[in-house]
């Protein structure tokens, strides 16, 4: 679904004079089928999803939700570093509910934005 949405945004970008700048948001929740093994989902994001997004030129940014119960700071770093490797600038949603290290990660990795802090 994420790829479908990014492709739709790319199509719409070409249909009018307003610039649409897309962000890969595939790392905003761990799907229910991966709750018992979120690291497997992180591998799917980093080894399959991000490369597919980058190869098709579908996004300029890569975002992750670094929050207790979603992605750990370590998982978030892995995702953002994979995005950087593929030319996607890092963004982060973090520390919305509890201080979790996301703000510090944003600073360390040079995130373009850190939201919900």
């Amino acid at each position: 679904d994420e790829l479908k949405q990014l492709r739709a945004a790319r199509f719409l970008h070409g249909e009018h004079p307003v610039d649409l700048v897309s962000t890969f948001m595939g790392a905003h929740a761990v799907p229910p089928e991966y709750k018992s093994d979120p690291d497997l989902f992180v591998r799917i994001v980093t080894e399959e999803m991000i490369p597919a997004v980058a190869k098709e030129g579908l996004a300029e940014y890569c975002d992750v939700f670094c929050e207790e119960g979603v992605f750990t700071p370590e998982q978030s770093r892995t995702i953002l570093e994979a995005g950087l490797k593929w030319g996607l600038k890092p963004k982060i949603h973090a520390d919305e509910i509890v201080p979790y290290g996301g703000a510090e990660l944003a600073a360390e990795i040079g995130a373009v934005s850190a939201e919900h802090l």
Side-chain angles (χ1 to χ4, degrees):
D1 287 341
E2 181 72 14
L3 290 175
K4 185 169 43 173
Q5 292 174 15
L6 289 169
R7 288 177 186 129
R10 180 178 58 192
F11 172 78
L12 292 172
H13 174 74
E15 293 296 306
H16 56 77
V18 176
D19 289 336
L20 297 179
V21 180
S22 294
T23 298
F24 168 69
M25 304 280 281
H28 262 245
V30 178
E33 61 268 30
Y34 296 101
K35 285 290 185 188
S36 64
D37 191 359
D39 288 331
L40 175 58
F41 184 66
V42 170
R43 283 194 301 279
I44 291 168
V45 168
T46 59
E47 296 173 10
E48 297 176 24
M49 297 173 82
I50 289 173
V53 168
K55 286 176 183 176
E56 288 190 50
L58 296 175
E60 186 171 335
Y61 301 97
C62 175
D63 198 309
V64 66
F65 189 20
C66 181
E67 187 65 66
E68 193 172 279
V70 188
F71 294 101
T72 67
E74 296 79 19
Q75 291 166 331
S76 298
R77 178 183 299 279
T78 298
I79 290 165
L80 294 176
E81 286 178 348
L84 281 166
K85 175 185 165 193
W86 284 94
L88 302 176
K89 299 171 197 153
K91 289 184 170 188
I92 192 167
H93 284 75
D95 303 343
E96 178 179 0
I97 300 164
V98 297
Y100 198 52
E104 293 83 357
L105 175 59
E108 290 169 22
I109 206 156
V112 174
S113 67
E115 301 180 28
H116 297 302
L117 306 177

